[in-house]
Amino acid sequence: MGLLSRKVTCNSHGQDSSYFLGWQEYEKNPYHEVNNPQGIIQMGLAENQLSFDLPESWLAKNADAAGFKRDGQSIFKELALFQDYHGLPAFKKALVDFMAEIRGNKVTFDPNHIVLTAGATSANETLMFCLAEQGDAFLLPTPYYPGFDRDLKWRTGVEIVPIQCTSSNRFQITAPALEEAYKQAQRKNLRVKGVLVTNPSNPLGTTMRRDELDLLINFITDKEIHLISDEIYSGTVFSSPGFVSIMEVLKDRSLEQTPVWERVHIVYSLSKDLGLPGFRVGAIYSNDPIVVAAATKMSSFGLVSSQTQYLLSAMLSDKKFTKEYMAKNHKRLQKQQSKLVSGLEKAGIGCLESNAGLFCWVDMRHLLSSNTFEAEMELWKRIVYDVKLNISPGSSCHCSEPGWFRVCFANISEDTLKLAMQRLKSFVDSVAINNQSHQELKNSRKKFRTKWVFRLSFQSFHDREQDER
Amino acid sequence: MLSSKASCNSHGEDSSYFLGWQLYDNNPFHGVVNPTGIIQMGLAENQLSFDLVESWLRKNLDAMGLKKDGESVFREALFQDYHGLPAFKKELVEYMAKIRGNKVTFDPNNLVLAAGATSANETLIFCLVDPGQAILLPTPYYPGFNRDLKWRTGVEIVPVHCWSSNGFRITMSALEDAYQSAQTLNLKVKGVLITNPSNPLGTTMTREERSHLITFAIAKNIHIISDEVFAGTVFDSPGFISIMEAAMDRSLENENPGLWNRIHIVYSLSKDLGLPGFRVGMIYSNNETVVSAATRMSSFGLVSSQTQYLLSNMLANKKFTSKYMKENQKRLKRKKEMLVSGLRTSGMECLKSNAGLFCWVDMRHLLSSNTFEAETKLWKTILCEVGLNMTAGESCHCSEPGWLRVCFANMSQATLQIAMRRLRDFAER
């Protein structure tokens, strides 16, 4: 009899993947402008650090909200005792209004249908517990956020079956891809309970088009399954085309009174838009009152601190603040993204055209020694250890084609970004020179040895990934 | 369409424990606005010592405003490391040690933060027990455990029956019987979970009980989870002996490292400090693998960095924590004594208690028959006619009818007096 549970002794938390490994390397040698200018620059962390001065200055002008006061009166006792899993009503109201604002007020949300959770991590897991049994499956378009392997599968026992998307059509979801994924699940004897999409997409940084959303609705209607739309990046859309929420499409198609309406659920969070990941504010929004009721009870396992609910209800109720924040935040994101894109261009590297998110989906296929994931790993390791940039390899996002990398831009300063791009350019230039000289000298033995060295280090790495699978 | 977890009743929230709450919500007592409303005596919250925390807050505005020495530390809003704020964990382990009379010390690296003890307990079960396996729980126990330990984990609870004949103490034979029952049901037992001080009994575990547990856990090669959320509410002798102290006394780290690695503590600031809304819970374990796994699982219920920052400052103030602990215990004791004498005047005795926020009251003599139906009838009468929401022993899985848990720390002196008067009138009828 095992001493600990199987969940602990197996590796399904997925934390041996390169996504986390890169983080570890960064932590051993983190870049610092003054203290460690040769260190690794963290470009694998999808955090928005560009705009926190805005809530910071709001806080300075609104000490009462942090000081447990309402209209000058202390409400400390009320808040300290408040552990009602229905959530602080004022906060839920402010949150749904904020969500509507992000969607250009083209949809409205009912605060009675929102469930607060400790971050989107908790929200996603809770939805799995509500919608699926152990051994059921959810379909996810690739590439997807590496953390989903842990969040959706680990403690729930739910399986993920990928919907393969490719660069040939800019990684959009197609009807054949959906059908193929469904069949794949059936071949594995897995009952499909739903589809989970991230819109705007992590790691692509793109918003879903209306026809993709239509396709999804048709698919889940036909198969009678659920759709979870993880919209945590909805507030990071900084250029056109704008953001179209799944709710908007359902409304436009007048599907409110049909069964599919109650099978669509949204996950949201303030970690990306407002850049407050430490505060652990996530939410599930569902049109199905039974899901709302069950998720509400489950939220006991991850309630939001009342101290935080109160502070943010005051902040989000300040419409002047939210309007100013959204406008400034979008501008800063756009500016930083274009700096990344042009920096990459100078290094001869292209990326998927994006209008949202805190990262770009970068095309480094031309830098691969071969069109394989082994080559992708080789390249990734060189970028982490030699170029000293921690970026996320596409394989950790379950991308079906090698050579793509997610590169974050919103968690570093403009100067750091500039430096990162310089390092990258130098690296690319040196690779070009190397390749040229190799061709000229036909020194294939050196190349072989380099490959051999990397294959060795790749091997132990690969073994770990194998365990995880 | 939905999972069985979503559609069935295994969240346990249809038990009377929650029903009473609902009725109270519809008609809550208020000294001025609704003096005939239901008085909530089913809520184990500590509302007696807020003024102490509030006065600390007034003198420490910076900590609330995410400032340090006048400078903004708003960047903490970005902190989502599941290892927890180091300063906060350091203060927590020192506070935990202080509550245990500094007879044990804790290593902050063995502490895992969680969003409340609710999250901590569930996470520990996910780490130690597979679906379909079982843990043993002495009865009576906290009604919420049915949800917290079983619902999403798929784990079973097998009761260790305790009886009034010996003050509901855990006996070796009760433990053995429970283990046998589990085997008969084909359930593999992975551990025993105790709440010490006990909810709903309000008592601290005796040396004998601790000894039985340790002997039992060694013999069966199982885990001990000690839920010590009420550790800071011990207001009378005998004092509180943590499972960790007992383990150290028996030199388990050297004598039986196997068991040493199978002892885990759950703690929270909800009961001692009266801050349930802030969702601060934690797991403490000597087992590195458990700490590591629980740390990763805590992603599903991290503590708000805003809260971690505030409380790390508060707990760092040793003068404050000393004063708080002393004064809080004094007030708890006084309130409890008020309840005990009030009950006595109505002809009701309670189990002698030295901790907790409630008393375990003997109302067997008021039952029309020695059955749980009679107990439910009595509970309902007290709820609807007397206007007091208490917690029926059956919802705590007590093996004998007639016992009720009555909370005292969530109301003012005046309210408690009114409650006692209503009870007296009822008893006289």
Side-chain angles (χ1 to χ4, degrees), chain A residues 188-219:
Chain A
K188 288 178 158 177
N189 256 322
L190 298 169
R191 182 175 64 161
V192 176
K193 288 314 287 286
V195 177
L196 188 150
V197 300
T198 307
N199 178 30
S201 162
N202 174 12
L204 303 177
T206 52
T207 47
M208 261 185 178
R209 291 163 26 153
R210 204 171 267 273
D211 56 355
E212 270 180 292
L213 294 167
D214 276 329
L215 192 58
L216 279 169
I217 291 172
N218 296 341
F219 183 73

Side-chain angles (χ1 to χ4, degrees), chain A residues 1-6, chain B residues 125 127-130 132-136 155-156 179 182 187-193 217 220-225 262 264:
Chain A
M1 170 176 82
L3 179 67
L4 305 178
S5 69
R6 281 193 290 270
Chain B
I125 298 299
C127 287
L128 306 178
V129 194
D130 284 321
Q133 294 180 334
I135 41 163
L136 308 182
V155 165
E156 294 299 329
Y179 193 85
L187 297 169
K188 198 139 254 176
V189 175
K190 290 305 288 286
V192 52
L193 188 150
K220 305 293 191 234
N221 195 29
I222 59 175
H223 296 271
I224 297 177
I225 299 174
R262 298 199 306 274
H264 322 281

Side-chain angles (χ1 to χ4, degrees), chain B residues 156-428:
Chain B
E156 294 299 329
I157 293 176
V158 174
V160 177
H161 295 289
C162 299
W163 307 93
S164 59
S165 53
N166 76 335
F168 294 95
R169 297 295 175 193
I170 301 169
T171 63
M172 205 53 183
S173 59
L175 286 165
E176 287 290 352
D177 283 348
Y179 193 85
Q180 290 308 313
S181 300
Q183 298 213 296
T184 310
L185 294 167
N186 251 322
L187 297 169
K188 198 139 254 176
V189 175
K190 290 305 288 286
V192 52
L193 188 150
I194 53 168
T195 306
N196 179 30
S198 162
N199 175 10
L201 303 177
T203 53
T204 48
M205 216 169 242
T206 62
R207 176 186 287 274
E208 210 183 8
E209 282 176 296
R210 284 192 300 275
S211 177
H212 289 325
L213 269 172
I214 288 175
T215 303
F216 183 71
I218 291 173
K220 305 293 191 234
N221 195 29
I222 59 175
H223 296 271
I224 297 177
I225 299 174
S226 182
D227 183 335
E228 302 186 348
V229 296
F230 290 99
T233 68
V234 179
F235 48 75
D236 217 337
S237 63
F240 172 63
I241 308 278
S242 165
I243 191 73
M244 211 46 89
E245 193 185 328
M248 282 173 60
D249 283 349
R250 280 171 70 150
S251 307
L252 286 182
E253 193 170 5
N254 296 320
E255 301 296 321
N256 196 322
L259 179 58
W260 179 255
N261 278 320
R262 298 199 306 274
I263 291 178
H264 322 281
I265 291 177
V266 167
Y267 185 57
S268 146
L269 298 183
S270 301
K271 306 297 177 186
D272 300 0
L273 283 181
L275 306 172
F278 289 3
R279 314 314 303 145
V280 180
M282 59 215 84
I283 294 167
Y284 188 89
S285 176
N286 297 316
N287 187 322
E288 261 178 38
T289 313
V290 172
V291 170
S292 166
T295 299
R296 289 176 175 155
M297 280 193 192
S298 69
S299 302
F300 299 108
L302 296 175
V303 180
S304 168
S305 56
Q306 178 195 14
T307 301
Q308 291 193 53
Y309 184 73
L310 173 68
L311 296 180
S312 70
N313 278 283
M314 193 170 84
L315 295 182
N317 188 326
K318 305 303 182 198
K319 223 170 115 200
F320 166 77
T321 54
S322 294
K323 178 174 170 205
Y324 182 90
M325 280 171 61
K326 201 157 146 227
E327 185 60 33
N328 182 45
Q329 281 163 19
K330 229 166 84 184
R331 297 179 187 185
L332 287 172
K333 183 172 182 187
R334 198 165 52 213
K335 233 5 175 319
K336 180 220 113 165
E337 281 167 355
M338 248 188 92
L339 175 62
V340 170
S341 65
L343 289 166
R344 192 166 282 149
T345 314
S346 304
M348 297 170 201
E349 289 298 322
C350 338
L351 187 71
K352 189 159 185 296
S353 68
N354 63 328
L357 311 173
F358 31 76
C359 285
W360 188 237
V361 185
D362 185 354
M363 299 200 199
R364 289 176 291 175
H365 59 293
L366 296 174
L367 294 184
S368 55
S369 62
N370 184 29
T371 61
F372 284 110
E373 288 77 13
E375 178 188 280
T376 306
K377 215 167 110 211
L378 174 64
W379 167 79
K380 264 213 187 99
T381 305
I382 297 178
L383 174 62
C384 303
E385 291 178 25
V386 188
L388 304 177
N389 179 37
M390 303 180 173
T391 306
E394 190 183 15
S395 63
C396 301
H397 306 273
C398 187
S399 321
E400 309 171 26
W403 292 84
L404 276 76
R405 185 191 77 170
V406 181
C407 298
F408 58 77
N410 61 313
M411 63 190 76
S412 69
Q413 201 146 314
T415 307
L416 186 52
Q417 274 166 356
I418 293 172
M420 292 300 94
R421 201 177 9 216
R422 288 187 190 179
L423 206 55
R424 206 166 44 236
D425 294 341
F426 167 70
E428 274 157 21

